[in-house]
Amino acid sequence: MLEIKNIRGGYFKKEVLHSVSLGAHAGQVTAILGPNGCGKSTLLKSICGILPVISGQVLLNGENLLALSQNQIAQKIAYLSQSKQIPDITVKRLILHGRFPYLSYPRRYRQEDFLAVKKVMEQMKIMELAEIPLNQLSGGQQQKAYIAMALAQDTSIILLDEPTTYLDISHQLQILQQVRELANSGKYIIMVIHDLAYALETADQIVLMQEGLVVMQGTPEKIYETGILDKIFDIKMARVHIDKQWHYFCAKK
Amino acid sequence: MKLLKNNKLRIGYIYAIAISLFLIAAVLGILLGATEFKFSDLLTVIQKIDSDSPQAKILWFVRLPRVLASLLCGAALAVSGAIIQGVLANRLASPSIIGVNAGAGLAVTLCSAFGIAGGWRLSLFAFFGAFATVMTVSFGAKKWGASRGTVILMGVAMNSLLGAISAAVITFVPNVSIMNNDFKIGDFSGVTYIKLIPAALIIIISIIILYTLSNELDVLTLGDENAKGLGMNTGMMRTLFLMLAAALAGAAVSIAGLLSFVGLLVPHAVRRIAANEAHHLIPLCALFGAGFVTLCDTFARIVFAPYELPVGIIMAFLGVPFFLFILNKGKGGHGRA
């Protein structure tokens, strides 16, 4: 069980998160939703220690991860930022850097690291991209490579900040499928996502945020049924039941 | 699998070319000049190490320090450029462009105004000058969220300011101006062991340390947040890299003056032909930088022999068109480091 308790945090002296608490379960996708500027990305960065918190705890099975060093946190939480540099290093090298937290100076990757990378590339079905420089790939392939790097980090928690941004529809669906598979393998997945319909269809749990606070947490069905999404985003949502699954749509009010 | 083999083979060839260039440049640098040696003369002089012949004197006290200096300065400035470009995530950055060389230059000018012409004190002051400048630019970039273009503008401004202060020092202490012209453009003609040895040690040690940090450099270029997410203390690492880059640039400036374009040209060329991964980038920049500067210096010595051109002139002739070529490609300003 991952418990995020009373996190207060932000940038410099500006408090963006006002006592945020939520829970997440292994094997589930938890999607954080909310309007722009409500503190979603700030929350992810606070959970993994990239932004220092004013107060609060991140408890993984009772252990406060924020009390650990950045390197120790990196062995438990993988974080994929929304803004990524695209260096022209090969995909294999990028994924290998996922093993970075496990090495100390002088960091030379070991045989077991290369094996871990091979396994991850097979899992992500990107073996053929191994020797291609990252900047020669499409946006979707780059995103897959970055997710593979997070996987190579071999953590129980993966935080994804808008993993589908800038991707075409086909790649968005592929990435979400892979996110689902990661959760199925027993990891805690917490992702910030702007597309409400995808969030409701993919996630097991929805955390709804507004102005630095968690407004509601629950299953997609429950959140939808309260009608709170319509209010917060000033939209009209609808759903249809196709092939034993709910599909969601948004429209202007 | 075929691609993998090809890539490894390609890198292997490039290393072979780089090492050959390094060796050829070193040998030509020793053999050619106002007094030309034959290869057999060289062997004779080496065999009689304590010989008092004029040839031996030229070899040990003129050619050898000069070739060592150009090899080391070329390696230092190229590696320093690669590091600064990586850390600032800006392909247009280089020690001469963002004012690092000018900072070291001011320190060296001040040193000569106070009568320090070589040794550890000179290298140390040059390092402080370079480090203070690179930290100012880096701090400014971080503090004001400066875009990549702004970082370059800050560097240009720093260059002007530091150049103006150097000029002021020279105005008040005219003795300094004797060495000023060659110093501004970069020159190896006055190299002595007393200048060379401390700088050489700094350069060799810094490059070795940087090579051991090649994975850190790669991770840092993934962006601050991703690097932190991988457990890196990015603030400390960035400062360490800039310190080592400043040590390299400072040491090179203390020997040869304000050599420009090596730090820009060589990393770009290596990135284009070989690799961006730091474990290849650093050694290849060192080898190509050393070879390139030494060849330029040899050319500068022989083209109007017995007169010499400062090596900076030859390098600028090659460097400027290359720089324009990069600008023309349109990738530089938004370059992904």
Side-chain angles (χ1 to χ4, degrees):
Chain A
M1 174 78 183
L2 177 67
E3 294 167 278
I4 287 140
K5 278 191 166 171
N6 307 320
I7 294 270
R8 284 174 59 222
Y11 298 88
F12 302 106
K13 285 178 183 163
K14 190 184 170 210
E15 188 174 315
V16 178
L17 303 170
H18 316 292
S19 196
V20 170
S21 297
L22 58 101
H25 296 276
Q28 289 197 344
V29 176
T30 305
I32 303 177
L33 300 180
N36 283 338
C38 71
K40 305 181 295 287
S41 296
T42 311
L43 176 61
L44 286 195
K45 289 176 203 166
S46 303
I47 292 172
C48 60
I50 287 179
L51 276 181
V53 296
I54 299 166
S55 62
Q57 292 179 311
V58 175
L59 299 171
L60 177 64
N61 301 322
E63 182 190 15
N64 184 15
L65 300 186
L66 292 183
L68 303 175
S69 71
Q70 192 66 43
N71 201 55
Q72 288 169 319
I73 294 176
Q75 294 177 19
K76 297 186 185 288
I77 306 178
Y79 165 75
L80 267 198
S81 156
Q82 186 188 354
S83 63
K84 298 178 195 71
Q85 299 283 341
I86 308 294
D88 39 358
I89 61 176
T90 62
V91 170
K92 190 168 106 187
R93 197 81 202 164
L94 177 81
I95 301 171
L96 204 47
H97 290 321
R99 306 298 301 163
F100 190 81
Y102 295 97
L103 304 171
S104 54
Y105 180 83
R107 294 176 209 255
R108 289 285 161 264
Y109 294 119
R110 307 154 297 180
Q111 194 58 33
E112 62 193 271
D113 299 317
F114 285 96
L115 286 175
V117 168
K118 190 164 173 262
K119 199 175 127 202
V120 166
M121 284 195 289
E122 278 166 2
Q123 189 182 342
M124 294 288 293
K125 303 181 187 76
I126 52 170
M127 273 310 274
E128 73 284 1
L129 303 181
E131 294 298 325
I132 301 177
L134 201 62
N135 63 349
Q136 289 177 21
L137 300 180
S138 71
Q141 289 169 323
Q142 286 169 357
Q143 187 65 291
K144 277 188 194 173
Y146 262 102
I147 292 178
M149 182 182 84
L151 259 182
Q153 218 171 317
D154 194 21
T155 56
S156 49
I157 305 165
I158 298 182
L159 309 179
L160 303 165
D161 197 351
E162 299 196 30
T164 56
T165 312
Y166 306 126
L167 302 185
D168 63 38
I169 180 81
S170 155
H171 279 105
Q172 288 186 23
L173 293 173
Q174 279 182 39
I175 295 290
L176 289 175
Q177 175 63 30
Q178 256 149 356
V179 166
R180 183 73 259 166
E181 284 167 15
L182 290 182
N184 292 346
S185 70
K187 291 183 186 293
Y188 297 87
I189 307 284
I190 302 180
M191 70 172 170
V192 166
I193 184 163
H194 267 298
D195 192 303
L196 298 184
Y198 284 161
L200 293 168
E201 286 165 24
T202 311
D204 302 289
Q205 286 284 316
I206 300 284
V207 174
L208 193 56
M209 286 183 70
Q210 191 176 27
E211 293 175 1
L213 291 165
V214 171
V215 183
M216 191 178 278
Q217 176 169 8
T219 60
E221 291 79 14
K222 186 185 141 200
I223 296 280
Y224 172 81
E225 282 157 13
T226 59
I228 193 167
L229 291 171
D230 293 15
K231 264 191 231 159
I232 285 187
F233 291 96
D234 197 25
I235 51 166
K236 177 76 195 141
M237 288 209 78
R239 66 179 179 185
V240 290
H241 206 239
I242 306 169
D243 293 339
K244 298 178 189 167
Q245 200 199 333
W246 285 112
H247 291 269
Y248 296 85
F249 303 91
C250 309
K252 207 173 154 193
K253 221 173 198 174
Chain B
M1 256 343 208
K2 198 177 168 194
L3 188 69
L4 179 73
K5 264 191 184 162
N6 284 347
N7 202 24
K8 281 196 169 162
L9 205 63
R10 198 172 56 86
I11 294 283
Y13 281 136
I14 291 166
Y15 269 105
I17 294 169
I19 292 167
S20 312
L21 177 77
F22 180 93
L23 293 175
I24 291 169
V27 171
L28 288 181
I30 287 176
L31 294 182
L32 301 180
T35 308
E36 291 198 1
F37 287 99
K38 290 197 191 81
F39 201 71
S40 53
D41 299 337
L42 193 63
L43 294 178
T44 319
V45 172
I46 291 171
Q47 277 161 5
K48 294 182 193 164
I49 201 158
D50 52 354
S51 164
D52 241 1
S53 69
Q55 278 197 327
K57 278 187 178 153
I58 290 173
L59 180 76
W60 295 120
F61 297 106
V62 181
R63 291 287 166 80
L64 188 66
R66 184 162 184 160
V67 167
L68 287 176
S70 60
L71 289 172
L72 287 163
C73 287
L77 289 170
V79 173
S80 178
I83 301 299
I84 289 173
Q85 287 167 14
V87 172
L88 296 183
N90 193 327
R91 291 285 181 81
L92 285 179
S94 82
S96 56
I97 288 178
I98 66 161
V100 181
N101 282 0
L106 172 60
V108 172
T109 308
L110 282 172
C111 280
S112 54
F114 288 101
I116 303 169
W120 284 102
R121 278 187 301 172
L122 183 74
S123 294
L124 199 67
F125 280 114
F127 161 71
F128 281 124
F131 185 55
T133 317
V134 77
M135 286 311 286
T136 308
V137 174
S138 159
F139 179 77
K142 213 168 153 48
K143 178 89 179 162
W144 301 309
S147 71
R148 288 164 189 194
T150 317
V151 172
I152 301 297
L153 288 177
M154 277 173 64
V156 171
M158 289 296 285
N159 258 325
S160 302
L161 177 67
L162 295 165
I165 299 173
S166 292
V169 172
I170 291 160
T171 309
F172 290 116
V173 191
N175 284 345
V176 178
S177 65
I178 296 169
M179 45 78 82
N180 186 49
N181 242 350
D182 287 351
F183 181 82
K184 264 188 184 162
I185 204 152
D187 181 43
F188 291 103
S189 60
V191 173
T192 53
Y193 281 115
I194 194 166
K195 261 189 191 174
L196 182 63
I197 290 168
L201 288 173
I202 292 174
I203 290 169
I204 293 166
I205 292 168
S206 300
I207 291 178
I208 292 171
I209 296 174
L210 282 167
Y211 182 70
T212 66
L213 293 172
S214 49
N215 282 326
E216 275 82 351
L217 184 64
D218 274 352
V219 168
L220 201 58
T221 57
L222 300 180
D224 239 29
E225 289 177 355
N226 285 316
K228 279 184 188 165
L230 288 169
M232 180 188 278
N233 181 342
T234 51
M236 191 194 83
M237 220 19 114
R238 180 174 286 112
T239 308
L240 178 63
F241 275 121
L242 292 179
M243 241 167 121
L244 289 163
L248 288 173
V253 169
S254 75
I255 299 176
L258 305 180
L259 283 178
S260 55
F261 285 114
V262 197
L264 183 72
L265 188 146
V266 175
H268 270 284
V270 171
R271 283 197 164 101
R272 273 173 193 262
I273 59 166
N276 253 297
E277 292 163 10
H279 65 292
H280 291 314
L281 184 67
I282 292 170
L284 285 173
C285 278
L287 289 167
F288 277 116
F292 172 68
V293 172
T294 307
L295 279 184
C296 284
D297 186 49
T298 309
F299 190 65
R301 270 189 285 143
I302 60 172
V303 66
F304 293 120
Y307 302 102
E308 285 185 14
L309 286 176
V311 63
I313 292 180
I314 303 289
M315 282 176 13
F317 271 115
L318 291 170
V320 173
F322 185 79
F323 189 65
L324 294 176
F325 168 73
I326 292 165
L327 288 181
N328 190 37
K329 286 295 250 186
K331 280 173 110 183
H334 313 286
R336 293 148 161 182

